[in-house]
Amino acid sequence: MSADATSLLRHRPFLAFWLARVCTASGFQMLTVAIGWHMYELTHNVLDLGLVGLVEFIPRVLFMLHTGHVADRYDRRKVAAICQAGQGLVALALVLGASTGSVSREMIFVLAFLLGSARAFEMPTTQALLPNIVPPGLFPRAVAASASAMQAATIAAPALGGLLYAFGAFWVYAPTALLYLMACTLVLSLPSRQQPATQGKATLESLLAGIRFIRSRPDIFGAISLDLFAVLLGGATALLPVFAKDILLTGPWGLGLLRSAPALGALLMSFWLAHVPIERNVGRIMFLAVGIFGVATIAFGLSTSFWLSLAVLVVLGAADMISMVIRGAFVQLETPDEMRGRVSAVNGLFIGASNQLGEFESGLTAHWFGTVPAVVLGGVGTLLVTGAWIKLFPTLAKRDKLH
């Protein structure tokens, strides 16, 4: 283990931040598995699975400009803690609904909107918080290690959620509420920033500053938009309940393993990147990783073997992690601290679009063309976007170092 990696592990504020990320990521992944399976049991409609993702995404658009200002104006610890408490309340509502048998399609949509609202404020806040916790020399490794927290949770939590769901939805939702409480406590233990980076009330000019900053940096805009369109087209997460139940012929446990597989690949890759960070040819490596992501998506769509599907998803997750770490470190290092919240908010919108809106796109295309064709076409679309972005952003493709 390198000296820098050892120093990072001994950094107490980062460890608290890392554990909080594990808790909140675990809670969200367990909620996602349970809500997806619950909805499919209620309606047996693939379009509803996509609509859940759309409803979660809408708050990112509605509150995009305000989320960044809040992250730059107020104590980021308290903002993150409030968001995590809000997600815990969503879990508690599902606990009550499951215990009384009153969970409905409409209730899931309402709670998905509230969950998406809390996450819309949490994401830019936690992204902007990390550079305040670790010194700049450790930041690229901290990004990889922070990502590993989410991926470690994503490996265990979906599988655990699927297993617990076999005993009833209540046994998934109740532990989730406890995880959010733990995350809230850990975040509040972090050292407080002396004063907010942005003073004064929110104005249209300050709210739009993040958008203007990204537009003025072609490499940042290219990196963020590449992730948007690649994952928007290539993501198949929303359709995993259909693959688990109707194509690969497994139960909730199989769905949990399918959701965990990309995280396993991502976790292994994040451990590698935390100890051996990418320092040269970052542009070429990022584009190559996105291309591998597209190929893996096509392979998953065509697979009828459960174990082959798991293996392909592991490769997909590893490739996505390479792209995410390069993009995350690059964007944060190129952004001044007083702008990080607003830039992270715009970045969060793009990530949300690629994930939640991508789930809606997957559900809609599966409704039109069928589940397998929708996933295969999405992978092909990712490859086409990768080729186009190499031409549109040549300086990004040729970029050698992160900063």
Side-chain angles (χ1 to χ4, degrees):
M1 182 179 295
S2 67
D4 285 343
T6 302
S7 299
L8 184 62
L9 292 174
R10 292 176 178 174
H11 198 271
R12 290 186 178 181
F14 177 76
L15 282 178
F17 179 87
W18 190 90
L19 289 172
R21 295 280 279 175
V22 170
C23 291
T24 191
S26 297
F28 178 70
Q29 290 298 329
M30 291 174 69
L31 272 183
T32 300
V33 169
I35 288 174
W37 194 269
H38 211 149
M39 176 66 85
Y40 198 56
E41 277 190 332
L42 287 172
T43 69
H44 296 283
N45 189 340
V46 294
L47 184 58
D48 282 340
L49 296 176
L51 287 173
V52 170
L54 177 63
V55 170
E56 285 186 17
F57 170 71
I58 288 173
R60 293 187 185 273
V61 178
L62 293 179
F63 307 129
M64 178 193 70
L65 297 177
H66 296 282
T67 56
H69 186 84
V70 168
D72 285 335
R73 177 66 179 85
Y74 300 102
D75 188 333
R76 290 168 180 166
R77 300 172 312 126
K78 295 180 180 179
V79 174
I82 291 172
C83 294
Q84 290 154 1
Q87 292 170 79
L89 290 176
V90 169
L92 283 177
L94 287 166
V95 168
L96 295 175
S99 61
T100 58
S102 59
V103 176
S104 64
R105 175 178 181 268
E106 291 72 23
M107 178 182 178
I108 289 177
F109 283 141
V110 171
L111 293 178
F113 179 84
L114 295 176
L115 184 66
S117 298
R119 285 176 59 79
F121 282 88
E122 182 191 23
M123 179 175 288
T125 303
T126 53
Q127 287 182 346
L129 183 60
L130 182 57
N132 301 139
I133 295 174
V134 298
L138 295 177
F139 186 69
R141 287 181 169 85
V143 172
S146 176
S148 75
M150 297 187 64
Q151 302 308 327
T154 307
I155 292 172
L160 179 60
L163 290 173
L164 290 176
Y165 198 95
F167 299 98
F170 171 87
W171 297 103
V172 184
Y173 299 134
T176 298
L178 179 60
L179 285 169
Y180 279 118
L181 174 61
M182 294 171 62
C184 183
T185 303
L186 286 165
V187 166
L188 289 176
S189 73
L190 295 174
S192 176
R193 191 172 50 176
Q194 294 301 313
Q195 67 179 51
T198 299
Q199 301 288 341
K201 296 182 179 180
T203 64
L204 182 60
E205 181 178 356
S206 67
L207 294 176
L208 293 175
I211 296 176
R212 289 199 300 268
F213 180 84
I214 290 174
R215 287 291 298 164
S216 69
R217 304 294 195 281
D219 285 2
I220 293 179
F221 179 67
I224 294 176
S225 58
L226 173 65
D227 177 75
L228 165 65
F229 289 105
V231 181
L232 174 66
L233 295 172
T237 304
L239 301 178
L240 289 182
V242 184
F243 275 92
K245 189 171 185 178
D246 299 335
I247 296 175
L248 302 174
L249 305 178
T250 68
W253 66 271
L255 173 60
L257 290 178
L258 288 173
R259 290 196 64 94
S260 298
L264 175 60
L267 178 64
L268 295 174
M269 183 56 68
S270 67
F271 283 159
W272 174 262
L273 294 177
H275 295 89
V276 187
I278 299 172
E279 297 178 346
R280 304 298 299 270
N281 298 316
V282 294
R284 293 179 182 177
I285 293 174
M286 183 180 67
F287 277 104
L288 176 61
V290 175
I292 293 174
F293 178 90
V295 173
T297 299
I298 296 172
F300 174 76
L302 295 175
S303 172
T304 57
S305 165
F306 178 71
W307 299 109
L308 176 59
S309 296
L310 286 178
V312 169
L313 288 176
V314 169
V315 174
L316 182 148
D320 189 43
M321 175 56 63
I322 295 173
S323 171
M324 186 180 74
V325 168
I326 292 176
R327 185 182 67 255
F330 165 58
V331 172
Q332 292 294 334
L333 288 173
E334 290 287 315
T335 305
D337 183 63
E338 66 272 12
M339 289 289 300
R340 283 189 177 125
R342 282 163 287 178
V343 170
S344 295
V346 180
N347 188 25
L349 175 66
F350 279 59
I351 294 173
S354 63
N355 291 321
Q356 277 76 45
L357 194 58
E359 291 181 6
F360 173 67
E361 180 270 338
S362 296
L364 188 62
T365 53
H367 181 71
W368 285 344
F369 308 118
T371 302
V372 171
V375 174
V376 172
L377 288 173
V380 172
T382 297
L383 294 177
L384 293 175
V385 166
T386 303
W389 255 238
I390 291 175
K391 297 294 184 182
L392 291 173
F393 300 94
T395 58
L396 176 61
K398 297 176 182 178
R399 190 177 184 92
D400 187 40
K401 296 183 179 181
L402 287 172
H403 183 59

